[in-house]
Amino acid sequence: MLISGHDLLDVAHKNDFAIPAFNVADYHMFNGLIEISEKKNSPVIIAIHPNEVNLLGFDVLRAIRERLHRSPVPATIHWDHGATSEQMIAAVQGGFTSVMLDASAEPFDENIAKTKAAVDIAHPVGVSVEGELGTIGKMETADGGIIYTDPADAKTFIERTGVDSLAVAIGTRHGIYPADIKPELKLDLLREIKETVGIPLVLHGGSNNPDDEIGEAARSGVNKINISSDVKVAFFTKMREVLQDQSAREPDGIMPPAVEAMQAVAAQKIDLFGATGKASLYTRPAAYKVDLFGAGQGETY
């Protein structure tokens, strides 16, 4: 049930929940995340960053698309933090059903121009576009370097670009927070942005934020939450533990415990975001028959 990001997020937008966007750079991780999403009957976004695309290669997208077409839960393949029009073209040609053009570090008008170019590339072929306004914080600076999203600017940005969803800066930072930093979301700002723009909002960089804040964000206008560090930490921490046994060499003994540890984290996120069971809100397209050989011997899909 592979669909566009617009169609996936529209249901979450109308029903006040958030869909997890899990970053993957390994097919075992991908398959494990789809399995837990199916078990939780949750819609899911498979997000792949350009660096991860370089690692996986575009040929793997064929297998990912086939697996998602067979899945009973609605899913989107999302190009995460793309930077150029050339990447948008590559993503569309490679089989992504959603793309992000991140020009948030650029001046406002340039951000609009680059994001609008992505929309012009993606929309004609049914691929949705996510933009970003404001800057998500960084761990390297004491104040996080956060530039909070202005609601009025967000309205102008959406009107001039036509994006389907918007990543907003409300107090998160990318990565895992050091012990001396206390994360805090500006939920009142989030609600003001949502009321002003009326489209699905996206939260990046939410690792280590308190669960009550993230859960409230999912009920207050955020419809997509990116999850990268948390699932990767769980996956590779367990793998390192397994590999303490120097005799371990067979993948079927090494990978499953790592996948299970990752799935436990993913399941908790799905519950927290209010996405459990929400796949039932989506309507699967009616079955259709394809006449493969022109002799009435069709296949039903």
Side-chain angles (χ1 to χ4, degrees), residues 4 88-89 91-93 96-97 118-128:
S4 74
M88 300 300 97
I89 294 170
V92 168
Q93 293 176 337
F96 285 78
T97 60
V119 170
D120 291 342
I121 291 166
H123 276 187
V125 289
V127 173
S128 57

Side-chain angles (χ1 to χ4, degrees), residues 52-68:
E52 295 164 336
V53 173
N54 291 338
L55 180 64
L56 282 166
F58 272 104
D59 286 345
V60 175
L61 262 295
R62 299 177 185 178
I64 290 174
R65 285 178 59 88
E66 286 296 321
R67 175 68 178 87
L68 295 181

Side-chain angles (χ1 to χ4, degrees), residues 23-34 228 231-232 235-236 259 262:
N23 272 93
V24 301
D26 175 271
Y27 193 83
H28 294 90
M29 294 179 69
F30 158 72
N31 208 39
L33 291 166
I34 294 304
S228 179
V231 290
K232 289 172 181 173
F235 184 83
F236 289 111
V259 169
M262 176 195 68

Side-chain angles (χ1 to χ4, degrees), residues 16 23 37 72 94 103 116-118 120 213 221 223 237 239 280 282 290 300:
D16 298 320
N23 272 93
S37 298
K116 178 64 166 61
D120 291 342
E213 282 191 349
N223 302 120
T237 297
M239 187 177 292
S280 61
Y282 295 77
V290 177
T300 300

